[in-house]
Amino acid sequence: MGLLDGKVAIVTGAGNGIGREHALLFAREGAKVLVNDAGGGRDGAVADLRDSGDGAGSSAESVVAEIRKAGGEAIASFDSVAVAEGAERIVADAEKAFGHVDILVNNAGILVDKSLLKMEESMWDSVIAVHLKGTFLCSRAFAKRAVARGEGGRIVNTTSVSGLLGNFGQSNYAAAKAGIYGLTRTMSIELQKHRITVNALAPIAKTRMTNDLPMFQNMETMGPEHVAPAALFLASDLCGGRTGYVLAVAGARMYAFKVVETAGKFKEGESTVWTANEIADNWDAIVRA
Ligand code: NAI
């Protein structure tokens, strides 16, 4: 018995790295998997934002071959998540091939790092388009079908420590990933009545996206295979009704991110309006968790 027997899953950006591990594990657990990947370099070059759908440069086919060789069921998809027609087709293709769709993992991603002063508008736009807009477009296409079918569903998004805490040189990526956090929270609230859970992963893993970072040198214990079980948990019935969470994984460490709201302090005295000087005088009491 697999944890995903009878389920149909879409994993975007599943030709490499973390997405590939998700797709392989989901298939081993009995899911029929649409392996989506538009191909291209780490910065999205070649994949571009075009809705080419021709598979050039994509590794989706090789992941599909790996799944089939192991006795699983999978199809490849080469559409870009960053354009509406591509996102719609990804979900429609899975439905056409397997009859319905239960699970969407929004994982596709690119990196175009530059410090704020050197960040060009095109670098900002391409990263926001793949991560934030892509997550919105695929989730909307998936959720419409899931709501119409009435059998619930599971969305697993991919955010990042960079977006939740900030990181030098990644204003575009951090903004996109923080946006995915807000999108996850809001979708989890809106889709709860339809029994669609929406959670996010915040992974740290050695992939082509990160393998040149100093922290990953000689770090063989941080592979993407550590992340896939967290996605499986959030995509399976083991997750139950849990929704709106951010599950973080870094090698053997499994933890969670939460936004903290402090108790704060109520204004004393006759006026209820704080002055800037009073904020300065009460700073510690206001921000203390
Ligand atoms: P990766 O570069 O190995 O895989 C990303 C895949 O997405 C690639 O195969 C790429 O072709 C595909 N892709 C890019 N643009 C696409 C598009 N428009 N449509 C469809 N597919 C597209 O990177 P990795 O590390 O596996 O990243 C997976 C996800 O995890 C990304 O969302 C990334 O931002 C996130 N992440 C990774 C971290 C890490 O430490 N590796 C840290 C935090 C988040």
Side-chain angles (χ1 to χ4, degrees):
M1 277 284 284
L3 283 173
L4 301 180
D5 280 345
K7 303 286 186 193
V8 176
I10 292 168
V11 184
T12 69
N16 290 291
I18 294 169
R20 175 177 170 275
E21 294 293 334
H22 293 341
L24 294 173
L25 180 59
F26 282 21
R28 281 202 299 278
E29 290 292 336
K32 295 170 185 160
V33 186
L34 180 139
V35 178
N36 162 263
D37 204 296
R42 183 171 86 164
D43 61 357
V46 179
D48 208 358
L49 300 182
R50 282 170 296 115
D51 177 22
S52 67
D54 60 7
S58 169
S59 346
E61 281 287 14
S62 68
V63 176
V64 167
E66 229 176 311
I67 290 173
R68 288 184 181 156
K69 199 170 161 205
E73 276 189 69
I75 58 164
S77 139
F78 311 113
D79 282 302
S80 170
V81 299
V83 289
E85 306 78 52
E88 291 292 335
R89 197 156 46 222
I90 289 166
V91 182
D93 283 355
E95 200 178 59
K96 201 165 133 200
F98 302 127
H100 63 273
V101 191
D102 304 283
I103 297 157
L104 168 68
V105 183
N106 287 304
N107 166 82
I110 60 171
L111 266 194
V112 188
D113 289 358
K114 275 280 183 267
S115 60
L116 179 72
L117 300 181
K118 294 176 186 155
M119 178 73 63
E120 290 169 18
E121 195 178 346
S122 61
M123 299 168 173
W124 174 271
D125 288 345
S126 62
V127 169
I128 297 286
V130 174
H131 290 276
L132 184 54
K133 192 172 174 193
T135 299
F136 154 66
L137 290 171
C138 290
S139 298
R140 188 182 62 175
F142 169 83
K144 278 185 179 172
R145 285 175 167 79
V147 167
R149 184 168 168 242
E151 301 275 318
R154 303 207 182 263
I155 297 175
V156 181
N157 294 329
T158 311
T159 181
S160 167
V161 176
S162 174
L164 300 169
L165 300 181
N167 195 23
F168 191 95
Q170 294 195 316
S171 56
N172 52 358
Y173 181 77
K177 290 306 202 185
I180 289 173
Y181 171 75
L183 183 58
T184 300
R185 293 290 309 167
T186 297
M187 292 197 301
S188 74
I189 294 164
E190 291 184 2
L191 296 175
Q192 197 162 25
K193 66 172 180 284
H194 301 288
R195 292 184 298 115
I196 299 169
T197 57
V198 187
N199 293 289
L201 290 171
I204 297 179
K206 186 173 178 173
T207 65
R208 70 176 195 169
M209 196 178 261
T210 52
N211 63 10
D212 54 355
L213 295 177
M215 70 175 278
F216 284 109
Q217 300 316 309
N218 307 317
M219 202 44 126
E220 301 314 324
T221 55
M222 297 281 281
E225 68 279 3
H226 291 87
V227 183
L232 173 63
F233 169 78
L234 294 174
S236 75
D237 289 344
L238 291 175
C239 181
R242 295 177 184 98
T243 193
Y245 286 90
V246 178
L247 188 55
V249 196
R253 182 175 177 220
M254 187 78 55
Y255 54 112
F257 278 96
K258 292 180 177 178
V259 169
V260 174
E261 179 181 330
T262 68
K265 183 176 161 68
F266 282 89
K267 172 83 170 62
E268 288 160 1
E270 263 174 44
S271 170
T272 52
V273 181
W274 286 84
T275 66
N277 280 321
E278 286 167 338
I279 295 170
D281 292 343
N282 288 276
W283 182 255
D284 287 345
I286 292 167
V287 301
R288 196 185 305 122

